[in-house]
Amino acid sequence: PREFVVCNLCGGSDTRLWATKNGFSIVQCRSCSLIYTNPRLDADQRVEYYKGEYHSGYDDDPVRGRMYERDIQEMVQIVGESGRFLDVGCAYGRFLTYLPATFEKHGIEFSQEAASYGRQRFGVDIQAGDLHSVRLEDESYDVVHFRGVFEHIPDPQRELEAAHRILKPGGWLVLSTVPNIGSPCGIVFRERFRLVYPRAHIYYFSRSTLSQYCRKNGLEVLHVRYPYLGTPYERLWRDAVQFIAGSFGKGPSPPFFRSVITVYARKPLGL
C-alpha cells in the first residue's frame, strides 16, 4: 500500500492536484506551495526500489564525473578547501573521491548495498542509514552536502534538523543539483519536466520552498546557483529549440536554464 502524508514543510493537509504521472498523484500545498507525491511508496517499497540496479553506472559514468569536478570547483570557492565533509545520500561515494584530499571525507547512504559496495570499491567511510538515524556528534562537520538526493528523502524536515545539529557554527549546508520545479521547464512542461518521476522523486522544490526550509531550520541562504551553462549537459541551441517545440507538443523537457538549483546555506556563528 502507498502512504499518504501531510505537507512536510508546513504540516498542512489542504492541497490541490498539480499533476498525475505514472499512476501517481502530485499535489501542491495551498499554504506554503510545496509540491510533492501523495500518496507515495511506503517505507518497505522504497527499500525495495533502491536495491540492486538503481545505482548501476554511478561508479564509472564519465559525464557524471565531469559534473562532479565542475561542482567541486564552484563549491570550494564558497565553503573553503578543507574541513570535515559529510556527503548525505552518497550512493557508492564516488563524489567523495573527487574531493581534494584536504577534506576529511565521510558519507551516509540509505541503501545498505550501495554503502557496502562503496566502502569496498572506493575505500571511503560510508555509514548506512539516514542522517537523522545515524548518531553523529553535535557541531562536528564543516560541510553537510546533499547532491541529487534531497528530492528522494521521505522527511526533508527531519534531515535538515539533523544537519543543523551536526554542523559547526559557521558550517555550510549544500543542497546541490536539486530539480527546480519553479524553473521554466517545471512551469511550462509540468509533469513532462524531465526531472518529474514520482516513484523516486517524492518532493519538488523551488527556490522559495528551499529557502523556507532553510529559514525554518536556522540556516541562512547566502548563495544560489543554477548549473546548466558550461555543464556537460548543455547544448544551448538544441535545448532552446526543443524547449520551444516541446512547449506545444508532448515530449519531455530538454536540459535547460534553471532546471536544477544549488543552495548554499550557513549555520550562524555562535554568540
Side-chain angles (χ1 to χ4, degrees):
R2 295 178 184 175
E3 63 179 7
F4 284 86
V5 293
V6 299
C7 177
N8 185 258
L9 178 54
C10 74
S13 56
D14 185 12
T15 62
R16 63 172 68 87
L17 182 65
W18 185 82
T20 58
K21 187 172 185 179
N22 300 336
F24 288 86
S25 296
I26 303 169
V27 302
Q28 183 170 31
C29 178
R30 293 182 186 271
S31 177
C32 69
S33 298
L34 182 67
I35 295 172
Y36 56 102
T37 303
N38 201 28
R40 65 195 191 184
L41 298 183
D42 66 21
D44 290 338
Q45 291 169 324
R46 289 193 296 271
V47 169
E48 195 63 30
Y49 179 77
Y50 290 107
K51 280 185 176 178
E53 296 300 310
Y54 179 82
H55 295 98
S56 63
Y58 273 54
D59 56 343
D60 56 8
D61 177 5
V63 175
R64 188 179 294 272
R66 292 201 299 274
M67 276 301 299
Y68 289 165
E69 291 171 345
R70 180 204 171 279
D71 290 354
I72 290 168
Q73 184 178 24
E74 172 191 281
M75 182 180 65
V76 297
Q77 294 175 5
I78 295 173
V79 307
E81 297 184 359
S82 64
R84 297 193 80 214
F85 189 102
L86 180 66
D87 193 18
V88 183
C90 66
Y92 300 149
R94 186 179 174 212
F95 179 89
L96 291 169
T97 70
Y98 281 78
L99 272 183
T102 46
F103 285 97
E104 182 186 326
K105 309 173 190 182
H106 305 274
I108 290 179
E109 167 52 38
F110 172 73
S111 166
Q112 295 268 3
E113 292 181 5
S116 177
Y117 178 83
R119 288 192 295 268
Q120 295 170 21
R121 171 72 190 273
F122 296 116
V124 290
D125 171 38
I126 305 175
Q127 296 189 62
D130 302 303
L131 184 56
H132 67 269
S133 63
V134 176
R135 186 63 193 173
L136 298 171
E137 187 179 348
D138 291 359
E139 299 187 351
S140 58
Y141 285 91
D142 298 284
V143 183
V144 176
H145 175 262
F146 296 76
R147 187 189 190 280
V149 70
F150 203 57
E151 64 275 13
H152 295 258
I153 293 173
D155 193 343
Q157 170 57 26
R158 189 160 58 168
E159 293 292 276
L160 288 190
E161 289 173 359
H164 182 276
R165 178 182 62 78
I166 67 172
L167 274 172
K168 298 177 183 178
W172 289 94
L173 170 74
V174 185
L175 302 176
S176 174
T177 324
V178 181
N180 178 18
I181 208 65
S183 66
C185 285
I187 294 167
V188 171
F189 287 78
R190 291 177 79 88
E191 72 277 7
R192 292 187 295 122
F193 180 26
R194 65 190 293 118
L195 297 175
V196 172
Y197 30 101
R199 183 174 295 274
H201 290 183
I202 303 172
Y203 291 98
Y204 297 93
F205 303 102
S206 64
R207 178 171 181 162
S208 171
T209 52
L210 288 174
S211 296
Q212 289 180 65
Y213 267 107
C214 289
R215 285 197 301 271
K216 183 177 181 179
N217 289 282
L219 298 160
E220 183 182 4
V221 175
L222 294 181
H223 303 277
V224 177
R225 301 286 187 268
Y226 299 95
Y228 171 66
L229 293 175
T231 72
Y233 300 101
E234 176 217 337
R235 302 290 186 275
L236 182 57
W237 294 110
R238 182 201 65 186
D239 295 341
V241 169
Q242 189 179 341
F243 178 89
I244 295 167
S247 63
F248 296 102
K250 296 182 179 179
S253 69
F256 206 58
F257 291 102
R258 300 201 167 203
S259 287
V260 293
I261 183 172
T262 296
V263 170
Y264 295 88
R266 199 170 196 184
K267 182 175 179 176
L269 290 166
L271 298 178

